[in-house]
Amino acid sequence: MRTSSRGTTFQPQILNLAGVMHGRSRHNEMITIIKPQSVFTLKFKEIWDYRELLYFFIWRDIKVRYKQTVIGAAWAVIQPFLAMVVFSVFFGRFARIPSEGLPYPIFAYCALVPWTYFANSLTNATNTMVANQRVITKVYFPRLILPLSAVLSGLPDFLISFSVLIGMMFLYGVYPTANLIFLPLFTLMAIVTALAVGLWTSAANAIYRDVRYVVPFLVQFWLFASPVVYPSSLVPERWRALYGLNPMAGVIEGFRWALLGRGEPPGPMLFVSIFVVLLVFIGGIIYFRRMEGTIADVI
Amino acid sequence: MSDVAIRVENLSKRYRIGQREGYLALRDVLARGLKAPFRLLKRDSQNLSRRSNEYIWALKDVSFEVKRGEVVGIIGRNGAGKTTLLKILSRITEPTEGYAEVRGRVGSLLEVGTGFHPELTGRENIYLNGAILGMKKREIDRKFDEIVAFAEVEKFIDTPVKYYSSGMYVRLAFAVAAHLEPEILLVDEVLAVGDAAFQKKCLGKMGDVAKEGRTVLFVSHNMAAIERLCQRALLLDKGNLILSGHAQELVARYLSEKVPLRRSNINLTFHSGRRPGMLPVIVKIRFMDKNSQEKTVFKIGDDIIFEIELDPGKKSFKFPSVSIAIHNYMDQLICKLTTWSQSFNIGSLNVRKVLRCIWRACRLVPGTYFISIGFGNGGNVVDYVEKVANIEILPSGDSLAEGKIPRGIFIPEIDWVVYEKG
């Protein structure tokens, strides 16, 4: 029963929000403590509290991406599709790279769907802190939302290019096996991989703008270090686990195995991939957190 | 529930000098390393480069409390740490040391229109900007019509804001911000944008917010606004909280202390307003009327004489130039009186010289004006002393008495003529 005027102004609104934010239903008070932060306070709950902003950032990224384009979402298909055509002609037809008994276009496109998603998400995540510089220096929110939204906003594109893959499979008469149920897991792994690397590059790019020039090269080399144009069976057996140090190798082989039923079932290579992703991810979060507190000063 | 909305204890923030000026490129880091040996050869830049590795405390050991429902103004010169304090309290940046406790939902307005995207429509930007400012979607849904009406952009609500006029853009941006309903509001100099009518609207809205019993922390150079809106004020100087108290008293004190004294004859050799790294060439300034009487208070239309004494020390300057900058109380640059714009040649400066600038019939609107002086040689700034003094312009007795002065920056000399058409 404190000062009456404020009581009447604020009470209704706070009650409305009680369930939505900060779960402060019992006493209408939210206390924020501000002090130099430790790197290890990870604030996951806070990201949950800010999920609406995350949603709005994703929504903005998607909306703006196609706002002034003529063919809009068709770009989501054109990119991997053209790459598939070129790869099929040069690697499939001329270089005769083996494709595990599948038509080469299907073989390549099935890898290009997660690969394109990964490459675009990583590029977007790298630039996101700098692109949102104004917002970062003027408003508080958990900065982690930015790379997260950059990575998640690529998902509609991923789904569109994926549906083309389904069409192609029908066309070529390749049918999925029961392994299909594992596909969401590999998709999740692609998302986490893009985020894990994106955490490092986005935070680093905020301080050293060179990073944004390095990332396209990185992506290019990474493409050929991943089994996109060739099957990982081309890699000698004893190096296979080592090859898994590239987490995208695990993702792409996983996609082929789950969708096309070819390639080897997930083995040591996949476990190495998962382990590496988690390591990079946790390291990325810690590095990002270390940057977060003062990023508004240096960006 | 406690009575205290904001408690700040020994809050400090350290910046590396130059850190706020932007990002590093690896290129710069490498280049700096390569150039280091050569820098020793150049005496002038040596001083600067060593300085760039130093740290400054933008805020040092600041402690205060703000009670629930209090409206507190924060005043101080540029670089006193006002914005840094707001940025820490709104969690945009972390403090280096110290502790602060904020009780209640915080909304910070360091700028209006943060996150507006030109490609998105007015409608979309309201949602985006609202979410960035911390509103929930349901809350925006509820206030949407009100926001649109306040901004007066009903017709263009589904047009991308890149086609908006700057006035519409600012109105929409402010409308969203004005409908933010936090328990604690942190406001930076957002009122300094837009035209006079818009500023008036903003101030009115701020007044409403203050009356609703919300806790507000308000940074401004607009002393009139501080006096009107705030009960209490904090005075910051060079990162230190030097005074806190009754708003009106503090404003009066600040205005008189901002410049050591309103004096007509000021020695500048060791002035605190001198920018770092400058050479003290400007050693004295005097203000006089046309009869060479020392004065600091003038009437509209009076001549003002600025007399500046320059001491080159043991140096010699071949192409000296002097400029006098006049700022108003809101820190807006009103005009500059320069030698180079008049193609006036001071001549080579190797002995002490006294320079007079005569401003004929100064017709600025009544108010307090701050004087800064710069000395250059060729294209280089050699000395710069900020806000060395203030002068006061008063209404003149006759035709421009109080109450007959139109709004604006200066009062032009005009004649009206009327004819009968025929």
Side-chain angles (χ1 to χ4, degrees):
Chain A
M1 285 297 119
R2 300 196 65 261
T3 31
S4 56
S5 66
R6 185 175 53 254
T8 47
T9 328
F10 278 100
Q11 223 68 349
Q13 191 198 335
I14 286 168
L15 287 179
N16 273 342
L17 294 168
V20 188
M21 66 179 290
H22 304 290
R24 40 168 196 179
S25 47
R26 260 192 302 140
H27 41 99
N28 300 330
E29 185 147 85
M30 182 185 128
I31 303 176
T32 316
I33 306 287
I34 297 166
K35 59 181 180 196
Q37 297 276 310
S38 145
V39 176
F40 296 99
T41 41
L42 294 180
K43 305 199 284 192
F44 285 118
K45 186 185 169 289
E46 203 184 18
I47 290 171
W48 176 247
D49 289 340
Y50 275 87
R51 63 192 181 280
E52 276 200 5
L53 184 59
L54 174 65
Y55 160 78
F56 274 113
F57 277 144
I58 296 173
W59 167 83
R60 175 195 66 180
D61 287 352
I62 295 170
K63 201 124 197 176
V64 169
R65 192 177 310 150
Y66 295 119
K67 201 85 181 190
Q68 270 202 328
T69 57
V70 179
I71 54 172
W75 285 112
V77 179
I78 288 177
Q79 216 186 340
F81 196 83
L82 284 184
M84 180 267 289
V85 171
V86 172
F87 290 169
S88 299
V89 172
F90 290 95
F91 297 116
R93 183 64 46 95
F94 299 157
R96 300 210 165 276
I97 289 176
S99 54
E100 297 182 329
L102 288 161
Y104 192 87
I106 280 277
F107 172 81
Y109 192 75
C110 181
L112 277 164
V113 169
W115 174 260
T116 310
Y117 166 75
F118 169 76
N120 288 342
S121 298
L122 177 58
T123 312
N124 288 340
T126 304
N127 293 327
T128 188
M129 302 300 274
V130 175
N132 290 288
Q133 189 176 5
R134 284 287 292 275
V135 186
I136 289 175
T137 53
K138 299 292 180 194
V139 180
Y140 174 78
F141 54 88
R143 312 306 189 194
L144 204 73
I145 282 185
L146 286 172
L148 192 58
S149 75
V151 165
L152 294 180
S153 67
L155 282 177
D157 280 10
F158 170 79
L159 288 177
I160 293 167
S161 60
F162 183 78
S163 59
V164 171
L165 175 62
I166 302 291
M168 276 176 66
M169 284 170 65
F170 274 111
L171 221 67
Y172 280 95
V174 181
Y175 297 103
T177 60
N179 302 342
L180 193 64
I181 52 165
F182 291 104
L183 193 68
L185 275 176
F186 293 112
T187 309
L188 181 69
M189 198 169 146
I191 298 171
V192 177
T193 309
L195 182 60
V197 183
L199 284 173
W200 287 91
T201 56
S202 64
N205 190 38
I207 321 166
Y208 302 109
R209 296 295 152 90
D210 310 63
V211 174
R212 95 185 109 171
Y213 302 113
V214 173
V215 166
F217 280 112
L218 179 78
V219 168
Q220 217 164 39
F221 290 129
W222 203 328
L223 168 67
F224 291 103
S226 306
V228 176
V229 297
Y230 56 88
S232 62
S233 56
L234 223 60
V235 178
E237 185 81 49
R238 58 201 168 103
W239 297 111
R240 206 75 55 78
L242 199 66
Y243 188 61
L245 285 179
N246 168 8
M248 283 313 286
V251 170
I252 289 168
E253 279 308 318
F255 258 73
R256 288 212 181 105
W257 172 76
L259 261 170
L260 310 177
R262 301 300 162 90
E264 40 180 320
M269 192 177 104
L270 180 72
F271 292 111
V272 173
S273 286
I274 291 177
F275 181 72
V276 169
V277 170
L278 289 180
L279 214 64
V280 177
F281 184 58
I282 292 166
I285 287 184
I286 294 173
Y287 177 64
F288 194 89
R289 268 294 301 141
R290 232 185 67 198
M291 295 305 311
E292 198 179 21
T294 49
I295 211 155
D297 303 330
V298 293
I299 199 166
Chain B
M1 266 177 126
S2 106
D3 242 13
V4 178
I6 303 172
R7 182 177 22 245
V8 172
E9 276 171 29
N10 302 320
L11 213 58
S12 301
K13 174 82 185 177
R14 191 179 60 182
Y15 285 106
R16 197 179 311 135
I17 289 181
Q19 193 177 27
R20 272 184 296 187
E21 268 139 44
Y23 62 88
L24 285 165
L26 281 174
R27 183 192 65 227
D28 297 337
V29 177
L30 294 176
R32 208 172 290 165
L34 287 173
K35 273 191 206 148
F38 300 102
R39 219 177 273 138
L40 293 169
L41 302 172
K42 280 182 83 185
R43 279 178 62 230
D44 280 350
S45 58
Q46 187 188 1
N47 210 351
L48 275 172
S49 71
R50 199 187 305 141
R51 212 175 277 278
S52 70
N53 293 326
E54 281 173 11
Y55 290 95
I56 51 157
W57 290 95
L59 215 57
K60 186 73 188 152
D61 287 332
V62 170
S63 306
F64 62 89
E65 277 187 6
V66 176
K67 297 222 161 47
R68 231 165 259 282
E70 243 185 338
V71 181
V72 176
I74 303 175
I75 55 184
R77 300 166 177 242
N78 284 340
K82 304 180 298 270
T83 303
T84 303
L85 177 62
L86 282 201
K87 281 194 171 179
I88 291 174
L89 289 179
S90 48
R91 293 201 290 160
I92 291 165
T93 181
E94 283 176 3
T96 314
E97 287 166 11
Y99 168 91
E101 200 179 298
V102 181
R103 291 167 173 268
R105 192 177 165 220
V106 180
S108 57
L109 275 183
L110 270 68
E111 179 189 68
V112 292
T114 308
F116 263 45
H117 199 290
E119 296 287 346
L120 297 177
T121 67
R123 181 188 303 277
E124 291 163 343
N125 268 309
I126 289 177
Y127 278 94
L128 180 63
N129 186 233
I132 287 173
L133 291 177
M135 284 192 236
K136 297 282 144 185
K137 188 170 174 300
R138 271 200 290 177
E139 202 180 335
I140 307 171
D141 285 336
R142 189 155 43 81
K143 291 177 186 159
F144 185 83
D145 294 333
E146 231 179 293
I147 293 175
V148 176
F150 189 92
E152 302 160 28
V153 292
E154 288 92 339
K155 267 196 217 155
F156 306 97
I157 196 64
D158 289 312
T159 309
V161 296
K162 65 177 173 185
Y163 300 120
Y164 279 29
S165 72
S166 59
M168 281 159 65
Y169 187 95
V170 173
R171 280 208 306 275
L172 183 65
F174 185 77
V176 182
H179 287 80
L180 189 64
E181 286 185 351
E183 290 147 296
I184 298 170
L185 189 61
L186 310 173
V187 193
D188 202 355
E189 197 77 76
V190 282
L191 311 179
V193 297
D195 53 17
F198 177 71
Q199 287 190 21
K200 209 170 162 187
K201 198 168 178 178
C202 295
L203 275 175
K205 188 73 196 176
M206 278 291 298
D208 294 347
V209 169
K211 269 181 229 130
E212 282 164 22
R214 246 173 275 178
T215 313
V216 183
L217 223 54
F218 176 44
V219 165
S220 183
H221 285 113
N222 184 340
M223 293 303 143
I226 295 263
E227 279 181 319
R228 203 163 80 221
L229 299 172
C230 308
Q231 300 112 39
R232 211 153 65 82
L234 308 172
L235 175 55
L236 291 179
D237 187 48
K238 293 185 186 139
N240 297 297
L241 177 64
I242 52 175
L243 273 176
S244 95
H246 196 264
Q248 272 155 351
E249 278 173 38
L250 217 65
V251 166
R253 187 134 177 212
Y254 169 68
L255 282 179
S256 63
E257 274 192 8
K258 188 168 188 177
V259 170
L261 275 175
R262 180 174 292 155
R263 276 196 321 225
S264 54
N265 182 338
I266 299 163
N267 194 323
L268 300 174
T269 318
F270 304 105
H271 197 276
S272 63
R274 177 163 279 117
R275 285 193 186 153
M278 297 276 108
L279 213 63
V281 175
I282 307 161
V283 292
K284 203 182 235 184
I285 183 165
R286 293 164 72 198
F287 308 105
M288 295 174 291
D289 67 8
K290 61 182 169 203
N291 304 319
S292 297
Q293 288 292 307
E294 286 189 3
K295 255 190 180 181
T296 56
V297 179
F298 300 87
K299 283 187 178 146
I300 297 170
D302 280 0
D303 291 356
I304 304 176
I305 299 176
F306 300 85
E307 192 181 272
I308 295 162
E309 197 173 316
L310 302 171
D311 179 4
K314 286 179 185 135
K315 293 200 167 199
S316 164
F317 298 100
K318 280 213 171 119
F319 308 104
S321 62
V322 166
S323 75
I324 303 168
I326 318 278
H327 287 83
N328 69 5
Y329 70 98
M330 282 183 71
D331 232 14
Q332 284 171 320
L333 177 66
I334 301 301
C335 60
K336 277 193 163 188
L337 321 174
T338 66
T339 52
W340 54 266
S341 64
Q342 307 279 317
S343 303
F344 176 77
N345 188 2
I346 299 175
S348 183
L349 185 73
N350 42 27
V351 290
R352 278 196 181 225
K353 279 189 179 176
V354 175
L355 195 68
R356 272 193 179 195
C357 171
I358 302 150
W359 184 351
R360 293 196 197 290
C362 164
R363 297 180 64 89
L364 294 178
V365 296
T368 305
Y369 294 90
F370 300 96
I371 315 295
S372 306
I373 315 169
F375 173 80
N377 185 37
N380 303 318
V381 180
V382 178
D383 192 8
Y384 199 94
V385 203
E386 271 174 46
K387 309 258 165 76
V388 294
N390 61 22
I391 56 171
E392 182 92 24
I393 307 285
L394 294 179
S396 64
D398 40 29
S399 60
L400 284 168
E402 201 142 14
K404 279 173 75 181
I405 294 158
R407 284 199 307 184
I409 289 175
F410 76 109
I411 301 152
E413 247 178 312
I414 50 173
D415 291 311
W416 289 98
V417 178
V418 63
Y419 301 99
E420 214 164 280
K421 180 143 185 170

